[in-house]
Amino acid sequence: MLSFESDYTTGAHEKILQRLCQTNLVTVPGYGADPFCASAKEKIRLACALPEAQVELLVGGTQTNAVVISTMLREYEGVFAAQTGHVNAHEAGAIEYTGHKVLALPQKNGKFTASDLQQALVLFHGDNAREHMVWPGMVYLSYPTEYGTLYSKQELSEIRAVCDEYRLPLFIDGARLGYGLMSRECDLTLPELCRLADVIYIGGTKVGALCGEAVVFTKNNRPEHFENRIKKRGALLAKGRLLGVQFDTLFTDGLYFDISRHAIDMTEQMKDIFRAKGYRFFLDSPTNQQFIILPNERMEALKPHVRFSFWETYDENHTVVRFACSWSTTEADLKALEALL
Amino acid sequence: MLSFESDYTTGAHEKILQRLCQTNLVTVPGYGADPFCASAKEKIRLACALPEAQVELLVGGTQTNAVVISTMLREYEGVFAAQTGHVNAHEAGAIEYTGHKVLALPQKNGKFTASDLQQALVLFHGDNAREHMVWPGMVYLSYPTEYGTLYSKQELSEIRAVCDEYRLPLFIDGARLGYGLMSRECDLTLPELCRLADVIYIGGTKVGALCGEAVVFTKNNRPEHFENRIKKRGALLAKGRLLGVQFDTLFTDGLYFDISRHAIDMTEQMKDIFRAKGYRFFLDSPTNQQFIILPNERMEALKPHVRFSFWETYDENHTVVRFACSWSTTEADLKALEALL
Amino acid sequence: MLSFESDYTTGAHEKILQRLCQTNLVTVPGYGADPFCASAKEKIRLACALPEAQVELLVGGTQTNAVVISTMLREYEGVFAAQTGHVNAHEAGAIEYTGHKVLALPQKNGKFTASDLQQALVLFHGDNAREHMVWPGMVYLSYPTEYGTLYSKQELSEIRAVCDEYRLPLFIDGARLGYGLMSRECDLTLPELCRLADVIYIGGTKVGALCGEAVVFTKNNRPEHFENRIKKRGALLAKGRLLGVQFDTLFTDGLYFDISRHAIDMTEQMKDIFRAKGYRFFLDSPTNQQFIILPNERMEALKPHVRFSFWETYDENHTVVRFACSWSTTEADLKALEALL
Amino acid sequence: MLSFESDYTTGAHEKILQRLCQTNLVTVPGYGADPFCASAKEKIRLACALPEAQVELLVGGTQTNAVVISTMLREYEGVFAAQTGHVNAHEAGAIEYTGHKVLALPQKNGKFTASDLQQALVLFHGDNAREHMVWPGMVYLSYPTEYGTLYSKQELSEIRAVCDEYRLPLFIDGARLGYGLMSRECDLTLPELCRLADVIYIGGTKVGALCGEAVVFTKNNRPEHFENRIKKRGALLAKGRLLGVQFDTLFTDGLYFDISRHAIDMTEQMKDIFRAKGYRFFLDSPTNQQFIILPNERMEALKPHVRFSFWETYDENHTVVRFACSWSTTEADLKALEALL
C-alpha cells in the first residue's frame, strides 16, 4: 500500500543488505569488538572531521537518548528540552525511568531559544532553588526537531554560548540528521554541527538502516566504563557487527548523505504537489516531514488509499496529519500520491 | 531573631513534647507496631469520619509524596500536577527518582482546573499517544497550594469528576492542611475533603510537630505490602513511636485544628498590618503564607531585623517575598513586625 | 580465523538474509505492528502448542531478562536465581538497575534444586523477614544453564511444584534454547517446557538470527500496557519487521530446530575429538558449550590458531576455557580444530 | 512489659528530651542550616579527631545506607558486603532500589575476611568480567556486625589494605557503633576506626536518640551537591534541628560513650545470668546483642513474660533468639529477667 506514514516503513538500503550478506560468515568477536564496527567508527570520525571523537553504536533512538542522558548526567541532574522534545513528550518516560527529570522549556515550532534557556537557568540557580530544585546538567535538542524544523547556525551558536556560560553539555538528537543536513534551509555542515555539540547522534533507523544510531562524543567526553553501562541498560548487542556493517556502508562514499538528499528532493516535489492542489500546511517544515491540515472528510476519504500519520487535532473539522518521505520514496510514489489528492 | 521565614522554624507544640517525655520509657515494639501509632491512627480515622480508612505515618513531605506516588502508580504510569506543584517544582526530582514522570498542567495561582486536566487526558489517550506517551495514573494537587491558595469545593468536585471518568486516583498533598481547613475561605470540612480524595496526607511538620505526615488511604486502597515498600525506600522509622505520639497528641481534643486556627488568626492580623502600611500583595492568599511585593531597597533594609523568604523576582526593582505565620506565631511577633514595617 | 569462541561470532542463517532481502521494500507499519511479526508470533504459538500464548519480540538477551523480570515483578519483589545465573552474575547489574534484587540460590553445575528454592522461601517468608527482607516474586532459571547443563523433566517439575505452592511465576531464560531442546540428554519437548514455565524466551541471537529473542507468556499473563513499558525501557524497535522476518523464518519448516540439532551434532563430534586427544572436561555438558581444562602452556600455544573463551582459573597451572559450536559450525571447522589439538 | 527485644524499644535519653524542650521555641532556619546541627557536627568532628571531616545528619539506618552507597558509587558500580550484611539481607532491597547491586561475600559470624574480598576482586576484574560483571565501587561492613561481632584492628587493617590496593572506599555502618566501641573486646578507638574508613556512620537511633544517624566523610569526600541528593531521596528533614539537638546532646560530655558503656555493662551481667542458668549461646558476641539457643518449649514458656526476638531456626526443637540490652536497660530489668530464666 502507498505509504507516507513515516520514514521507517521500509527495510534498509540495498547496499546494506548486500554487505550483510557478503560478510555474513566471517567470524568476529562479539559485543562491538569487530572490524566492521571499527571501520564504521573511523569513517564517521572522518565525516565529522573529528579524528579523535569517540563513536558508539546503539540500536534505537529512545534507547540512545536514555543511554546518553543517563550516562552523562550526574545522578542529581536533569536535562533541559523543549516541551515538545522527543525525550519529554514521546518516549513514554524513558528518561524518568533512569531517575532523571526532563526540564521542559517553552517552544515554538519545536524549537526553544537561547533566551528561554538562559531564563530557566537563572531560575534553577536562583536563591530559592538551593536543594529544592533539580540541578541542570545538560541541554537536549533535536535536529531536525519533532516538527521537522531546523535551528539556524545563529540560533544554535547562541544556545551554545549559554551552555558554555553554565558549563552544560549540549546533546543533539539526530534521529533524522541526514534529512536536516540535506535540507535546502540547512546552513551547517556535519563538522560544524559536531563542533557545536558535546554529543550528537547520527540516526540510522530512519535514514536507510534496519536499526542503529551512531553516538559521537565530540570532546573526548565519553563516560567511562561505557560498555559496562550499556550492558547494564540491556543495550549491548551481542552481534555488534549488525550495527558495524550498516554504518560502515552508510558512511562509505557518502551514501548517508546521498540518500538523505534524495529524500529531501522527494519531499520538495511532494510539497509542490500539496501546494498545487491547494492544501494547507500546518507549519513550514524544510525537512522530510510535512504537516498538512486536512478537512476531516478529506482525511477519511484518503485513508483507504494512502497511509499517513495522525498528528494532532486542529479544530472540530480539521486534523493535522503528517506525510513523510524517506530514502526509499520513489517518483512513482509521488505520482500515485498526486493522483489521489 | 524575629522570623516569618516559614512555618517550620520552631520546634513542636508543647503538648507534644510533654507527651514524648511522659511516654519515654514505656517499652514498645518498633517499626510502627506500637500502641501510640495505633491510637493516633484511630483518632485520625475519627477526624476524617472514615472508620475504615488505612492510615500510615511517615517522616517528611517529600518522602511522603514519593512514597505515595511511587507505590500507587503502576510502573508505566505518570502523575499529573500543576506546573508549580511541589512534586514538579520543588522536590529536586524526587518523583522522577522513583522512575515516574510528573505530567505538568498549566496553572494559575498554583491551581489547575478540571478543564486543564480533561484536555490533557484527551491528549494522553489520543491516537498518537499509544506506546509513545506516558500513561496517566494519578492526579496530584496540594491543599493549600504552594501559593497558599485553596481549591473551592466546586473546583475540587469538578476535578474529582474528571478523575472518576478516567478512573484516576486523586492525591491531595496536605503538608499545610490545617491552615487550609481553618482558612476563612475554606468551604470544606476534613471529612468532605477526604471523600473527594483517594489518598490525602495530613501534614504534621508544618503544623506543630517535630516531623511527621499522616497518609490517609480513604478507600481501602493502601498498596499491598506497604511496610515492606516503605522499608525499601528507607522511610521506615525504627522508633515509630516518635510519629505515633505526635499525631496522637495532635488529634486529641482537636489540637491540630486549634493551632491551625490560631495560625490563621495571626495571619489575618498580619495581612491587616501589611495592608495598613500600604504594602502590595502578589496574590490573594487565604492561608498562612503571604506573598508581598517589596521594593528591593525596602527588602534589604528589613533583612537585618526579620527573617522572611525570597520567593521570586518581580521586576528589576521589586522582589516577591514570603511571610508565613504558624501555630507558634504570637501577638508579640506581630507587634514586633508592625514596628519594623 | 578458526573460532569456537562462542555461538555469536557469525551473522545469520542464509534463509534469514534471503527473506530480509525479499521483503525489504514492502511498506509496513512500525513498532511491531507489521504482518511479519504477526506471522512469526503465530508460528511460535504453534511450535509451543499454545494457541493462546502472547508472544513478544525483543532485541537481546539481557534486555529481555530485564524487561520480563521488571514488568512481571511487583515493585517490592525480587527474583530467585542460581548464584551463577546469567541475571545474577553476568548482566552488569541490569536487573538491579530496574530496582529489583536478585536473590541468589546455591548452585551446582549452574543448577539449583527445588529443595534449595523451598528452603530459601521458608526463610524469606519467615518470622523475622516481615518488612525487612525482599518479598520473593519470581523464579528464574536458564535452559540450558550458563554451564551448558540441563534441568531434567523431573527436576523442573519439582521446581514447578514449589513455584505453585508459593504462587511464584517461573521464568525460563532460553537464550540457547534450541541447543538445549536438541541435546541428546533433553527429556522435554518445547510444548512441555512451555507448560512448566509461566514465561519463557526463545533465543534467536545465539541460534541463527542477527538479533532477537521471542518471549512467550504462556498463561495469558503478559503484563498490561506491555508496548508502553518496552518503549519506556528503550527496547521498542521502530522497524519491528527486523525481528518479525527473522523469527518467521526460524519457525518456518522447523528451521530453528534443524540448525540447533546441527550444532549439537557438531558439538558431539567436537567432544569426541577432545576426548580422543585426552583433554579433560571441567564438567559434563550436554549442549553446545564445552568447558575444557587446559594446561596454561597448551592454552597459550593454541591462542594464535583458534579463538576460544576464558572461563575461569582452575589452578595455578590450569585454566578452564570454553569451546562452543553453533548453527554455523562446519565439519571443516572441526577438522581444522582436530589438526590443532 | 519486660523487654529485651531490641535496642530501640524505649524513647530517648532524658538529656535529649530536656534539650529538645529547652530549645523548642528558638527560631532557626530549616533543612539543617541551624546552629544545633552546626554544633553537633563540630562535636562529632572533635570526637573523631578529624577537624576537617564533613558530617551529615540523617534520620534512619536503612536510609543512611542507601544514601551513602548510592551517592558515593558511580552509577555502574556495586558494593561488596557480607552475605549477612544488613544492606544485603535485611533492608528489603533498599540498595537495589537505587539501581546498585550488592555483591555478596562469604561470611562467618557476620564477618568477611580481607582474603575473601581480595579473591572476589580478582574475579570481578578478571578476563571474562569485562562489560558483563558489575564494577566494584565500595566495600561495606558493619561495626558491630549483625551478629554483634567485631572486626579486630588487625582484620580491619587487612581489609583496608585491599581497599587501598583497588582504590575502593570503605564504608562502616555503625548503627550500633557505641556498643562496639565500648565492648571489652574492642581494640580500636573512634578516631582509629575513622581513619580506617572513608565514610562511617554513628548510629543514634539505637544508642539513645529518638532517631538519627551521623555520617562522617573522613577524607573530604562528601559527594558534591549532597543536600540536593538527600532531598531527591526524600531524606531531607525540614526541621533539621531535631537531629542537631539530639547529636549535640549525645556528643556533649561524652554522653554517647557513657550510655554505650552502660549498655555493655548490662549485657555482661546478662551474659553471666544466662551462663549461670546454663543457657547455650549461639555464638560469642562481645556487644549488646546476645543470641541464645532456646528449646522451643522454653521459648514458648518465656514469651508471655518477656519480649525477645526470633533470630533463626536452630533445629527442629530449638530456636535461636536474641536478647538485647541498650542504654536504657536497668539493673532492675536484669533482676526481673534472672527471675524468669
Side-chain angles (χ1 to χ4, degrees):
Chain A
M1 187 171 168
L2 187 62
S3 174
F4 288 85
E5 193 183 4
S6 76
D7 35 21
Y8 44 81
T9 58
T10 52
H13 192 275
E14 60 174 351
K15 287 194 182 166
I16 284 180
L17 290 179
Q18 282 164 15
R19 193 112 157 84
L20 281 174
C21 293
Q22 284 162 8
T23 60
N24 189 48
L25 291 178
V26 183
T27 63
V28 298
Y31 301 108
D34 61 82
F36 309 117
C37 284
S39 171
K41 291 175 182 185
E42 186 54 28
K43 286 174 184 165
I44 288 171
R45 278 189 284 266
L46 274 173
C48 297
L50 287 170
E52 307 294 327
Q54 295 148 326
V55 180
E56 295 289 340
L57 306 179
L58 291 165
V59 175
T62 297
Q63 180 184 85
T64 300
N65 284 331
V67 165
V68 168
I69 291 172
S70 69
T71 58
M72 290 193 70
L73 288 185
R74 279 165 289 194
E75 57 96 341
Y76 56 90
E77 294 178 334
V79 57
F80 282 114
Q83 192 145 11
T84 48
H86 210 253
V87 294
N88 192 49
H90 286 98
E91 297 190 347
I95 305 308
E96 290 79 8
Y97 187 64
T98 71
H100 298 282
K101 192 177 182 70
V102 179
L103 309 167
L105 294 171
Q107 60 84 33
K108 200 176 160 193
N109 292 342
K111 304 193 292 181
F112 63 84
T113 66
S115 151
D116 294 331
L117 177 61
Q118 174 88 47
Q119 224 173 306
L121 279 160
V122 169
L123 182 67
F124 277 85
H125 287 90
D127 274 5
N128 68 348
R130 285 176 49 207
E131 57 269 26
H132 301 293
M133 291 175 79
V134 172
W135 189 255
M138 182 183 255
V139 176
Y140 163 98
L141 59 83
S142 39
Y143 188 92
T145 70
E146 291 66 28
Y147 285 87
T149 53
L150 294 175
Y151 289 88
S152 71
K153 190 173 186 170
Q154 177 64 25
E155 289 168 333
L156 274 184
S157 302
E158 287 168 13
I159 288 170
R160 176 76 249 172
V162 179
C163 288
D164 286 341
E165 186 187 339
Y166 285 87
R167 297 171 176 269
L168 290 175
L170 176 60
F171 170 29
I172 298 182
D173 171 341
R176 295 185 166 98
L177 187 63
Y179 306 137
L181 290 172
M182 292 301 112
S183 161
R184 292 166 191 184
E185 213 179 73
C186 174
D187 58 358
L188 285 155
T189 62
L190 176 54
E192 286 171 332
L193 199 57
C194 285
R195 277 199 296 275
L196 285 166
D198 293 274
V199 54
I200 180 170
Y201 84 83
I202 301 172
T205 303
K206 288 166 178 161
V207 192
L210 286 164
C211 62
E213 322 293 322
V215 187
V216 183
F217 295 96
T218 66
K219 299 179 178 171
N220 197 28
N221 56 339
R222 181 182 52 195
E224 55 178 0
H225 286 243
F226 198 71
E227 299 299 304
N228 196 256
R229 298 192 196 208
I230 292 181
K231 178 75 178 174
K232 182 170 182 173
R233 285 155 173 84
L236 187 61
L237 214 52
K239 294 183 177 171
R241 67 194 299 150
L242 172 59
L243 302 172
V245 166
Q246 292 189 93
F247 274 101
D248 192 51
T249 307
L250 285 171
F251 282 84
T252 298
D253 299 334
L255 181 62
Y256 188 76
F257 304 99
D258 291 344
I259 66 180
S260 297
R261 191 181 302 110
H262 168 78
I264 292 298
D265 290 345
M266 293 295 102
T267 312
E268 291 296 330
Q269 289 187 31
M270 184 177 75
K271 285 167 83 168
D272 289 344
I273 292 169
F274 277 116
R275 256 187 234 109
K277 299 270 187 179
Y279 283 83
R280 276 166 75 197
F281 290 79
F282 178 57
L283 53 79
D284 183 18
S285 162
T287 58
N288 72 312
Q289 305 179 79
Q290 297 302 317
F291 303 90
I292 309 292
I293 304 169
L294 287 185
N296 290 348
E297 283 167 36
R298 190 83 202 90
M299 180 174 70
E300 294 305 325
L302 281 172
K303 273 187 183 171
H305 307 295
V306 57
R307 283 207 206 94
F308 48 85
S309 298
F310 168 84
W311 197 251
E312 60 187 70
T313 299
Y314 185 77
D315 63 25
E316 221 176 319
N317 302 312
H318 295 79
T319 303
V320 181
V321 301
R322 182 183 69 176
F323 283 79
C325 290
S326 82
W327 61 276
S328 69
T329 304
T330 62
E331 305 250 358
D333 294 335
L334 293 177
K335 287 268 180 284
L337 178 64
E338 188 169 23
L340 281 174
L341 293 177
Chain B
M1 185 173 170
L2 187 61
S3 175
F4 288 85
E5 192 184 5
S6 75
D7 35 21
Y8 44 82
T9 58
T10 53
H13 192 275
E14 60 174 351
K15 289 195 181 163
I16 285 179
L17 290 179
Q18 283 165 13
R19 191 109 157 87
L20 281 174
C21 293
Q22 285 162 7
T23 59
N24 189 47
L25 291 178
V26 183
T27 62
V28 298
Y31 300 108
D34 62 82
F36 309 117
C37 284
S39 170
K41 291 175 182 185
E42 186 55 28
K43 286 175 184 165
I44 288 171
R45 276 189 286 265
L46 273 173
C48 298
L50 286 171
E52 306 294 326
Q54 295 147 326
V55 180
E56 296 288 338
L57 306 179
L58 292 165
V59 175
T62 297
Q63 180 184 83
T64 300
N65 284 331
V67 165
V68 169
I69 291 172
S70 70
T71 58
M72 289 193 71
L73 287 185
R74 278 165 288 192
E75 57 96 341
Y76 55 90
E77 295 178 333
V79 57
F80 282 113
Q83 192 144 12
T84 49
H86 210 253
V87 294
N88 191 48
H90 285 99
E91 297 190 349
I95 305 306
E96 291 78 8
Y97 187 64
T98 71
H100 297 281
K101 191 176 182 72
V102 180
L103 308 167
L105 294 171
Q107 60 83 34
K108 201 178 157 192
N109 292 342
K111 304 193 291 181
F112 63 86
T113 66
S115 150
D116 293 330
L117 177 61
Q118 173 89 48
Q119 223 172 307
L121 279 161
V122 168
L123 183 67
F124 277 86
H125 287 90
D127 274 4
N128 68 347
R130 285 176 47 210
E131 57 268 25
H132 301 294
M133 292 175 78
V134 173
W135 190 255
M138 182 184 254
V139 176
Y140 163 99
L141 58 84
S142 40
Y143 188 93
T145 70
E146 292 66 28
Y147 284 88
T149 53
L150 293 175
Y151 289 88
S152 70
K153 189 173 188 170
Q154 176 64 24
E155 289 168 333
L156 275 184
S157 302
E158 286 168 12
I159 288 171
R160 175 76 249 171
V162 179
C163 288
D164 285 341
E165 185 187 341
Y166 285 87
R167 296 172 176 269
L168 291 175
L170 176 60
F171 170 30
I172 298 182
D173 171 341
R176 294 186 166 99
L177 187 63
Y179 305 138
L181 290 172
M182 292 302 110
S183 162
R184 292 164 192 187
E185 214 179 74
C186 175
D187 57 359
L188 284 156
T189 63
L190 176 54
E192 285 171 332
L193 199 57
C194 285
R195 275 199 297 276
L196 285 166
D198 293 274
V199 53
I200 180 170
Y201 84 83
I202 301 172
T205 303
K206 289 165 179 162
V207 191
L210 286 164
C211 62
E213 321 294 321
V215 186
V216 183
F217 294 96
T218 65
K219 299 180 178 171
N220 196 30
N221 56 341
R222 180 183 54 196
E224 53 178 0
H225 285 243
F226 198 72
E227 298 300 304
N228 196 255
R229 299 192 195 208
I230 292 179
K231 178 76 178 173
K232 182 170 183 173
R233 285 156 174 82
L236 186 62
L237 215 52
K239 293 184 177 169
R241 68 195 297 150
L242 172 58
L243 302 173
V245 166
Q246 291 189 92
F247 275 101
D248 192 51
T249 308
L250 285 172
F251 281 84
T252 297
D253 299 333
L255 181 62
Y256 187 77
F257 303 99
D258 290 346
I259 66 179
S260 296
R261 191 180 304 108
H262 168 79
I264 292 297
D265 289 346
M266 293 295 103
T267 311
E268 291 296 330
Q269 289 187 32
M270 182 178 75
K271 285 166 82 168
D272 289 344
I273 293 169
F274 276 115
R275 257 189 234 110
K277 299 270 186 177
Y279 284 81
R280 273 166 78 198
F281 291 78
F282 179 55
L283 53 79
D284 183 19
S285 163
T287 58
N288 72 313
Q289 304 178 80
Q290 297 302 317
F291 303 89
I292 310 292
I293 304 169
L294 287 186
N296 291 347
E297 283 168 35
R298 189 84 202 89
M299 180 174 70
E300 294 306 323
L302 283 172
K303 273 187 185 173
H305 307 295
V306 56
R307 285 208 205 94
F308 48 86
S309 298
F310 168 84
W311 196 252
E312 61 188 68
T313 299
Y314 184 76
D315 62 25
E316 224 176 318
N317 301 313
H318 295 79
T319 302
V320 181
V321 302
R322 183 183 68 176
F323 284 80
C325 290
S326 81
W327 60 275
S328 68
T329 304
T330 63
E331 306 249 357
D333 294 335
L334 294 177
K335 288 265 180 286
L337 179 64
E338 187 169 23
L340 281 173
L341 294 177
Chain C
M1 185 172 170
L2 187 62
S3 173
F4 287 85
E5 192 184 6
S6 76
D7 36 20
Y8 44 81
T9 58
T10 52
H13 192 276
E14 60 175 350
K15 288 194 182 165
I16 284 179
L17 290 179
Q18 282 163 14
R19 191 110 157 86
L20 282 173
C21 293
Q22 284 162 8
T23 59
N24 190 48
L25 291 178
V26 183
T27 63
V28 298
Y31 301 109
D34 62 82
F36 309 116
C37 284
S39 171
K41 292 175 182 185
E42 186 54 28
K43 286 175 184 165
I44 288 171
R45 277 189 285 264
L46 274 173
C48 297
L50 287 170
E52 307 295 326
Q54 295 148 326
V55 180
E56 295 288 339
L57 306 180
L58 292 165
V59 175
T62 297
Q63 180 185 84
T64 300
N65 284 331
V67 165
V68 167
I69 290 172
S70 70
T71 58
M72 290 193 69
L73 287 184
R74 278 165 289 193
E75 57 96 342
Y76 55 90
E77 295 179 333
V79 57
F80 282 114
Q83 193 145 12
T84 49
H86 211 252
V87 294
N88 192 47
H90 285 98
E91 297 191 347
I95 305 307
E96 291 80 6
Y97 187 65
T98 71
H100 297 282
K101 192 177 182 72
V102 180
L103 309 167
L105 294 171
Q107 60 84 34
K108 201 177 159 193
N109 292 343
K111 303 193 291 182
F112 64 85
T113 66
S115 149
D116 293 331
L117 177 61
Q118 173 88 48
Q119 223 171 306
L121 279 161
V122 169
L123 183 67
F124 278 85
H125 287 91
D127 273 5
N128 68 346
R130 285 176 50 209
E131 58 268 24
H132 301 294
M133 291 176 78
V134 173
W135 190 255
M138 181 184 254
V139 176
Y140 163 98
L141 59 82
S142 40
Y143 188 93
T145 70
E146 291 66 27
Y147 285 88
T149 53
L150 293 175
Y151 289 88
S152 71
K153 190 173 186 171
Q154 176 64 26
E155 289 168 332
L156 276 184
S157 301
E158 287 168 13
I159 289 171
R160 176 74 250 174
V162 179
C163 289
D164 285 341
E165 186 187 340
Y166 285 87
R167 296 172 176 268
L168 291 175
L170 176 59
F171 170 29
I172 298 181
D173 171 342
R176 294 185 166 98
L177 186 63
Y179 305 138
L181 289 172
M182 293 301 110
S183 161
R184 291 163 193 189
E185 214 179 73
C186 174
D187 57 357
L188 283 155
T189 62
L190 176 54
E192 285 171 333
L193 200 58
C194 286
R195 276 198 297 274
L196 285 166
D198 292 275
V199 53
I200 180 170
Y201 84 82
I202 301 172
T205 303
K206 287 164 179 165
V207 191
L210 285 164
C211 63
E213 322 293 321
V215 187
V216 183
F217 295 96
T218 65
K219 300 180 178 172
N220 197 28
N221 56 340
R222 181 182 54 196
E224 54 178 1
H225 285 243
F226 198 71
E227 299 299 303
N228 196 256
R229 299 192 195 208
I230 292 180
K231 178 75 178 174
K232 181 169 183 175
R233 286 153 173 83
L236 186 61
L237 214 52
K239 293 183 177 170
R241 66 193 298 150
L242 172 58
L243 302 173
V245 166
Q246 291 189 93
F247 275 101
D248 192 51
T249 307
L250 285 172
F251 281 85
T252 298
D253 299 333
L255 181 63
Y256 187 77
F257 303 99
D258 290 345
I259 66 180
S260 297
R261 192 179 304 110
H262 169 78
I264 292 298
D265 290 345
M266 293 296 101
T267 312
E268 290 297 330
Q269 288 188 32
M270 184 176 75
K271 285 167 81 169
D272 289 344
I273 293 168
F274 276 116
R275 257 188 234 107
K277 298 270 186 179
Y279 283 82
R280 274 166 75 197
F281 290 79
F282 179 57
L283 54 79
D284 183 19
S285 163
T287 58
N288 73 313
Q289 304 180 79
Q290 297 302 319
F291 303 90
I292 309 292
I293 304 168
L294 286 186
N296 291 347
E297 283 168 35
R298 189 83 200 93
M299 179 173 70
E300 294 305 324
L302 282 172
K303 273 188 184 172
H305 307 295
V306 56
R307 284 207 207 94
F308 48 86
S309 298
F310 167 85
W311 197 253
E312 59 187 71
T313 300
Y314 184 77
D315 63 26
E316 223 177 317
N317 303 312
H318 295 79
T319 302
V320 181
V321 301
R322 183 184 68 176
F323 284 78
C325 291
S326 81
W327 61 276
S328 69
T329 305
T330 62
E331 305 249 357
D333 294 335
L334 294 177
K335 287 267 179 285
L337 178 64
E338 187 168 24
L340 281 173
L341 294 177
Chain D
M1 185 174 172
L2 187 61
S3 173
F4 288 85
E5 191 184 6
S6 76
D7 36 20
Y8 43 82
T9 58
T10 52
H13 192 275
E14 60 176 350
K15 288 194 181 164
I16 284 179
L17 290 178
Q18 283 163 14
R19 191 110 156 85
L20 281 174
C21 293
Q22 284 161 7
T23 60
N24 190 47
L25 291 178
V26 183
T27 63
V28 297
Y31 302 109
D34 62 82
F36 309 117
C37 284
S39 171
K41 292 175 183 186
E42 187 54 28
K43 287 175 183 164
I44 288 171
R45 276 189 287 264
L46 274 172
C48 297
L50 286 171
E52 306 295 325
Q54 295 147 325
V55 180
E56 295 289 339
L57 306 179
L58 292 166
V59 175
T62 297
Q63 180 184 86
T64 300
N65 283 331
V67 165
V68 168
I69 291 172
S70 70
T71 59
M72 290 193 69
L73 287 185
R74 278 164 291 192
E75 57 97 340
Y76 55 91
E77 294 178 333
V79 58
F80 282 114
Q83 192 144 13
T84 49
H86 210 254
V87 295
N88 192 48
H90 285 99
E91 297 190 349
I95 305 308
E96 291 79 8
Y97 188 64
T98 72
H100 296 282
K101 190 175 182 74
V102 180
L103 307 167
L105 293 171
Q107 61 82 32
K108 201 178 157 189
N109 291 342
K111 303 193 291 181
F112 63 86
T113 67
S115 150
D116 293 331
L117 177 61
Q118 174 89 47
Q119 222 171 308
L121 279 159
V122 169
L123 183 67
F124 277 84
H125 287 90
D127 273 5
N128 67 349
R130 285 176 48 211
E131 57 268 25
H132 302 293
M133 291 175 78
V134 173
W135 189 255
M138 182 184 254
V139 176
Y140 163 99
L141 58 83
S142 39
Y143 187 94
T145 70
E146 291 67 25
Y147 285 87
T149 53
L150 293 175
Y151 289 88
S152 72
K153 190 174 188 170
Q154 177 65 24
E155 289 168 333
L156 274 185
S157 301
E158 287 168 11
I159 289 170
R160 175 77 249 171
V162 179
C163 288
D164 285 341
E165 185 186 341
Y166 285 87
R167 296 171 176 271
L168 290 176
L170 176 60
F171 170 29
I172 298 182
D173 171 343
R176 295 185 165 99
L177 187 64
Y179 305 137
L181 289 172
M182 293 301 112
S183 161
R184 292 162 193 189
E185 213 179 76
C186 175
D187 58 357
L188 284 154
T189 64
L190 176 54
E192 286 171 332
L193 200 57
C194 286
R195 275 199 297 276
L196 285 166
D198 293 274
V199 54
I200 180 170
Y201 84 81
I202 301 172
T205 302
K206 289 165 179 163
V207 192
L210 287 165
C211 62
E213 322 294 321
V215 187
V216 183
F217 295 96
T218 66
K219 300 179 178 171
N220 197 29
N221 56 340
R222 180 182 53 195
E224 54 177 1
H225 286 244
F226 198 71
E227 298 300 303
N228 196 254
R229 299 192 196 208
I230 292 180
K231 178 75 177 173
K232 182 171 183 173
R233 286 154 173 82
L236 187 61
L237 215 52
K239 294 183 176 169
R241 68 194 298 152
L242 171 59
L243 302 173
V245 166
Q246 292 188 92
F247 274 102
D248 193 50
T249 308
L250 285 172
F251 281 84
T252 296
D253 300 331
L255 180 62
Y256 187 77
F257 303 99
D258 291 345
I259 65 179
S260 297
R261 192 180 303 107
H262 168 79
I264 292 298
D265 290 344
M266 293 296 102
T267 312
E268 291 297 331
Q269 290 188 31
M270 182 177 75
K271 284 167 83 168
D272 290 344
I273 293 169
F274 275 115
R275 257 189 235 108
K277 298 271 186 177
Y279 283 81
R280 276 166 75 198
F281 290 78
F282 179 56
L283 53 79
D284 184 19
S285 163
T287 59
N288 71 313
Q289 304 178 79
Q290 297 302 318
F291 303 90
I292 309 292
I293 304 169
L294 287 185
N296 292 347
E297 283 168 35
R298 190 86 202 88
M299 178 173 72
E300 294 306 324
L302 283 172
K303 273 186 184 172
H305 307 294
V306 56
R307 283 208 206 92
F308 48 86
S309 297
F310 168 84
W311 197 252
E312 60 188 68
T313 299
Y314 184 76
D315 62 24
E316 223 176 319
N317 302 313
H318 295 79
T319 302
V320 181
V321 302
R322 183 182 70 177
F323 284 79
C325 291
S326 81
W327 61 275
S328 68
T329 304
T330 62
E331 306 249 357
D333 294 335
L334 293 177
K335 287 266 180 289
L337 178 64
E338 188 169 22
L340 281 174
L341 294 177

